[in-house]
Amino acid sequence: MPQFLGIPLTRLRFRGRVSSLLAICDAFRQQPNVGLHPMQISKTTGLSMATVMARLDETPELFVRLPKRDGLTRYRMATTAAAKSPDEVEAFIHREARRETMTLYAIGAIVLAVLGMALVMSFPFADYF
């Protein structure tokens, strides 16, 4: 999968995942300044552990992996996200989801435009222009 600065480019990381990201952020806000294991977050949020691990790994803007201690990988909110209020974090997540949606629609529109141009150029009257 192509990546830029460790961020996957072909996967939508925020679109359709807003509620799970907000739930994970709330779990970190309930226990500030503590590194949490994905299992702890899973129990707190009610999300599956696979979902929690995927969200934590896919969004380095929000969550940071801590060095292993006792063989366990723990996560914390990124400093930039932890310094913001819950409303600002929620606005950031919604803004990123909206940005991904607009990007998806733009790519779809480009594909449709190219297909439409190919269709129009295949008509016999296109030779007279």
Side-chain angles (χ1 to χ4, degrees):
M1 174 183 328
Q3 292 189 355
F4 176 71
L5 299 176
I7 300 170
L9 297 177
T10 57
R11 177 176 277 174
L12 299 175
R13 299 173 303 129
F14 291 91
R15 186 177 188 271
R17 296 167 174 87
V18 171
S19 61
S20 61
L21 287 170
L22 290 175
I24 293 171
C25 287
D26 287 341
F28 281 112
R29 295 240 185 239
Q30 290 173 3
Q31 299 180 11
N33 302 322
V34 176
L36 298 176
H37 186 270
M39 181 61 78
Q40 293 172 302
I41 300 168
S42 177
K43 287 179 182 177
T44 303
T45 60
L47 299 169
S48 70
M49 187 159 164
T51 301
V52 170
M53 290 178 68
R55 297 296 84 74
L56 292 171
D57 288 334
E58 290 176 352
T59 52
E61 302 94 338
L62 295 174
F63 311 111
V64 178
R65 182 185 301 201
L66 299 175
K68 288 187 178 185
R69 194 178 73 208
D70 303 332
L72 296 175
T73 301
R74 291 181 170 84
Y75 293 84
R76 290 186 63 186
M77 281 188 78
T79 307
T80 55
K84 295 178 181 178
S85 71
D87 292 335
E88 290 173 331
V89 172
E90 183 176 354
F92 170 76
I93 292 172
H94 283 289
R95 184 174 54 247
E96 291 299 315
R98 190 170 38 254
R99 182 177 293 155
E100 285 181 354
T101 300
M102 289 300 153
T103 301
L104 180 66
Y105 290 162
I107 291 171
I110 291 169
V111 168
L112 285 176
V114 169
L115 290 175
M117 287 178 13
L119 180 67
V120 168
M121 295 304 288
S122 68
F123 288 147
F125 67 83
D127 292 337
Y128 299 113
F129 292 114

